[in-house]
Amino acid sequence: MGDQGAREQGSVDVAFHGVRGSTPCSCPTVQRYGGHTSCVSIEAPGHDPIVFDLGTGLRPWGCSMTPGEPVTVHALVTHLHWDHIQGLPFFIPLQSVHTNLHVYGPADGDQTMAQTFAKFMSPPYFPIEVTDLPARVEFHDAHHDDFDIDGTVVVLVDDVLFTGRTIRAALDAMTSFGRPRAIRLAVMIDRGHRELPIRPDYVGKNLPTSRAEVVDVHDDGVDLGELLK
């Protein structure tokens, strides 16, 4: 990637290029977090980049890459709503034969992911088809049975831990994917008032509150890499 050589060995960069749902927009109310739709990238030196969802935030991320540089990107698509895939045609690295893009996500009924993307990236909806792109794009249908967490260490992450009911729901859902060796819980804020015997392993901040109070978590732009030095 463009600035990959400047990253410290062992560091991981997580960037939110789009956090909106439904439709991208440009107005004063979205200046803090931006108006692009869903797209989050994870990059680490020596590893292929991973991107979660292909919303319009994919375009500025692609523009930040070095043109023509060989790259293999792995994209995980949570679901096939328009706001999660509409950025794909505008991903600049797809204009290079040195780009390999692997897209993993759910099939749509009796249609494969490749068929679904081919439908929206074709006339009259879009002038260029996936097969017209210089890059190599491969679609991989991910099924429920493809994920096995037997013997692994699973880390659950929550922004604000309150009653514990959301964590209980995550634990219940996890049982259908196998039996992990261990489960860890990391939370940004623990505000107490637990209704279930759930205790986090990693806590950013313990914040005593009343049950009637509301906790809002905001990103103030702090560079976590600098903070941890």
Side-chain angles (χ1 to χ4, degrees):
M1 319 309 289
D3 60 347
Q4 187 166 345
R7 297 193 182 98
E8 293 186 8
Q9 188 66 31
S11 66
V12 177
D13 289 347
V14 180
F16 293 80
H17 308 283
V19 296
R20 281 189 54 81
S22 300
T23 179
C25 63
S26 177
C27 58
T29 58
V30 299
Q31 286 182 351
R32 184 181 182 92
Y33 300 108
H36 281 296
T37 61
S38 183
C39 183
V40 179
S41 67
I42 299 180
E43 299 180 70
H47 297 276
D48 294 337
I50 299 173
V51 62
F52 294 90
D53 283 327
L54 304 172
T56 58
L58 186 68
R59 182 181 181 278
W61 182 52
C63 291
S64 70
M65 298 179 181
T66 302
E69 182 178 279
V71 62
T72 296
V73 178
H74 301 276
L76 308 180
V77 178
T78 56
H79 57 283
L80 298 175
H81 287 176
W82 181 235
D83 51 323
H84 289 253
I85 61 174
Q86 63 190 131
L88 180 64
F90 309 101
F91 188 43
I92 298 299
L94 294 182
Q95 301 302 319
S96 170
V97 295
H98 301 296
T99 296
N100 293 290
L101 174 63
H102 294 272
V103 183
Y104 303 83
D108 181 26
D110 59 351
Q111 287 192 329
T112 65
M113 279 195 62
Q115 291 171 328
T116 300
F117 275 85
K119 184 187 298 183
F120 93 83
M121 277 191 67
S122 63
Y125 309 110
F126 199 76
I128 298 175
E129 298 185 15
V130 176
T131 53
D132 295 329
L133 296 169
R136 180 180 180 182
V137 182
E138 295 185 27
F139 297 95
H140 308 272
D141 295 333
H143 302 283
H144 185 276
D145 295 336
D146 293 340
F147 298 91
D148 185 359
I149 60 175
D150 277 340
T152 63
V153 176
V154 176
V155 179
L156 298 178
V157 180
D158 200 358
D159 52 357
V160 179
L161 181 59
F162 186 26
T163 64
R165 293 184 179 275
T166 55
I167 302 302
R168 171 61 186 275
L171 293 172
D172 289 343
M174 195 183 304
T175 59
S176 62
F177 294 97
R179 183 173 182 176
R181 176 166 58 87
I183 300 174
R184 302 285 184 261
L185 175 60
V187 301
M188 297 177 64
I189 304 292
D190 186 351
R191 59 172 297 187
H193 304 290
R194 210 78 75 245
E195 297 176 1
L196 298 169
I198 292 175
R199 180 178 179 179
D201 300 281
Y202 311 100
V203 181
K205 183 179 181 60
N206 288 291
L207 184 65
T209 64
S210 72
R211 293 187 67 90
E213 290 179 298
V214 175
V215 177
D216 288 328
V217 180
H218 298 279
D219 175 14
D220 62 0
V222 172
D223 186 332
L224 295 181
E226 293 295 327
L227 191 63
L228 295 174
K229 287 183 179 179

